[in-house]
C-alpha cells in the first residue's frame, strides 16, 4: 500500500517496563496511516483494475477471467476448485455485484472479445495505479478515483481515469472480507 521504491531500515525498540514500542532510526515521515477498511478496499480495487483491463493472448485465460460463476462455490473462502485453474478465474464476477457484472458482459465483453480476436493483448502497469479516495472511506465502503496505464501490444499506452464505488456485503465476497465493486466507470484520457 505504501508503494515505496526505497528501502529504509529501522529498529523497533520495546520498553521492558511499559511494553511501549518506538521506532529508532530513519524518520519515516512518508508512511501514511490507514484503517484496515481502507487497506482492504485498496487491495480489492487494485485487483479489480488489474483484471478489468486484462485481455490475454490465451482464450482459456480470457474465458476464465470473464465467465459468470457461483458466488458460494467459486468465490467463497472454502472454494472447491470446479472452474478453470488459471490466474484470474472468475475474477471479474467475484469482485463485482450482479449489476456491474451484467454491465460488463453487455457493454465491455463484446468489445474485449473483438480485441482478443484481433490478437491484441492488454495489461495494466501495476506500478502506475493511483487510488485516491474521493469520499470518506469507512467500514461500509467508499468512492475512489483510479488512474492507471494500460499497455497494449502494437499500440501506445492508454491512460485511464476511472471512478469506483466499493460496497460491503457481510454474506458474500468472503475472499475480500465482504468488499466488492458496486459501480465503475472509466475513461480513456489520451
Amino acid at each position: 500500500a505504501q508503494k515505496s521504491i526505497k528501502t529504509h531500515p529501522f529498529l523497533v525498540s520495546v520498553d521492558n517496563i511499559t511494553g511501549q514500542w518506538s521506532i529508532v532510526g530513519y524518520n519515516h515521515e512518508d508512511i501514511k496511516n490507514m484503517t484496515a477498511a481502507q487497506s482492504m478496499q485498496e487491495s480489492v480495487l487494485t485487483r479489480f483494475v488489474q483484471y478489468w483491463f486484462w485481455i490475454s493472448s490465451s482464450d482459456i485465460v480470457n474465458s476464465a477471467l470473464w465467465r459468470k460463476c457461483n458466488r458460494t462455490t467459486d468465490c467463497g473462502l472454502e472454494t472447491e476448485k470446479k472452474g478453470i485453474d488459471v490466474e484470474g478465474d472468475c475474477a471479474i464476477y467475484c469482485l463485482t455485484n450482479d449489476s456491474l457484472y451484467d454491465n460488463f458482459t453487455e457493454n465491455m465483453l463484446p468489445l474485449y472479445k473483438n480485441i482478443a480476436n484481433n490478437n491484441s493483448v492488454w495489461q495494466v502497469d501495476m506500478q502506475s495505479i493511483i487510488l485516491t479516495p474521493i469520499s470518506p472511506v469507512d467500514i461500509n465502503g467508499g468512492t475512489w478515483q483510479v488512474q492507471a496505464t494500460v499497455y497494449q501490444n502494437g499500440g501506445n499506452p492508454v491512460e485511464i481515469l476511472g471512478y469506483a464505488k466499493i460496497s460491503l456485503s457481510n454474506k458474500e465476497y468472503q475472499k475480500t472480507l465482504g468488499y466488492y465493486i458496486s459501480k465503475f466507470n472509466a475513461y480513456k484520457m489520451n
Side-chain angles (χ1 to χ4, degrees), residues 67 69-85 89-90 94 173-176:
R67 75 186 183 99
C69 303
N70 181 299
R71 291 208 195 283
T72 305
T73 60
D74 296 318
C75 304
L77 285 175
E78 300 298 324
T79 300
E80 180 182 320
K81 201 63 177 165
K82 296 178 182 175
I84 304 165
D85 192 18
D89 188 20
C90 299
C94 291
Y173 309 97
Q174 295 174 6
K175 284 185 180 179
T176 58

Side-chain angles (χ1 to χ4, degrees), residues 34 52 61 68 104 106 115 117 130:
M34 67 175 66
W52 186 269
V61 171
K68 186 171 186 172
F104 173 80
E106 291 171 16
I115 291 168
N117 289 338
I130 299 171

Side-chain angles (χ1 to χ4, degrees), residues 10 24 51 70-71 90 99 107 113 121 140 177 180 183:
F10 61 89
V24 179
Y51 291 127
N70 181 299
R71 291 208 195 283
C90 299
S99 173
N107 299 311
K113 286 181 177 180
V121 176
N140 295 313
L177 298 181
Y180 64 95
K183 293 182 182 178

